[in-house]
Amino acid sequence: MVTTSREAAFNRRRKGVSFQKISQGIVSPSIGGISATTIKRWWNRYLAQVDRTSIWVAGRLIQFGEEEDLLRLHSKGVNSTPLDTLEWFYFLLQKYVYYFQFNPLMMGYLSFLNTHLPAKLRL
């Protein structure tokens, strides 16, 4: 449940929603409310991790036979911000789940991806 809540928070934050509004919108009977501070901590850790995780996903795509130059598809390349890399990550993630015929509406991207990632890269 927490992974689903985190993913919902991340999706809202990517759209520019404030941490306070996100915390007000995520309430679950099993976990209760989530503070804006907790969501901000999750977000900062997520942004810090997404670059290494993106490289792992790109490497797996190449192993699957992806022929597109995935590194060149990063919008800003070496001068990127964490948010630029996050957008590239979501692009890669859509390609990655395609190989597994995964429907993200069933369990969410992060729950699915975390079952594939090495422990140190889990989001």
Side-chain angles (χ1 to χ4, degrees):
M1 183 61 180
V2 173
T3 301
T4 305
S5 297
R6 285 184 312 145
E7 185 165 358
F10 297 157
N11 287 336
R12 291 175 186 162
R13 186 64 188 162
R14 281 179 57 219
K15 294 176 183 175
V17 178
S18 72
F19 294 116
Q20 190 63 37
K21 280 195 173 242
I22 294 168
S23 73
Q24 294 167 354
I26 298 179
V27 177
S28 164
S30 62
I31 61 172
I34 302 170
S35 75
T37 304
T38 296
I39 294 168
K40 186 175 183 178
R41 186 179 64 248
W42 288 350
W43 178 252
N44 288 334
R45 191 176 87 211
Y46 185 58
L47 286 180
Q49 184 74 353
V50 79
D51 57 346
R52 292 181 294 164
T53 303
S54 296
I55 296 297
W56 184 90
V57 171
R60 294 292 293 161
L61 287 168
I62 291 167
Q63 288 177 345
F64 294 153
E66 183 67 44
E67 294 183 10
E68 195 169 11
D69 188 349
L70 300 172
L71 295 176
R72 289 191 186 268
L73 295 175
H74 192 295
S75 64
K76 304 280 179 156
V78 294
N79 294 321
S80 64
T81 68
L83 293 176
D84 295 327
T85 300
L86 184 62
E87 291 308 313
W88 182 58
F89 170 68
Y90 276 91
F91 170 79
L92 294 173
L93 191 52
Q94 289 172 8
K95 286 183 162 295
Y96 185 79
V97 299
Y98 173 80
Y99 283 96
F100 294 92
Q101 299 178 348
F102 171 73
N103 180 354
L105 299 177
M106 298 298 289
M107 74 191 257
Y109 284 120
L110 294 185
S111 293
F112 171 78
L113 186 60
N114 282 340
T115 64
H116 294 236
L117 289 169
K120 65 181 180 180
L121 296 179
R122 290 189 186 132
L123 299 167

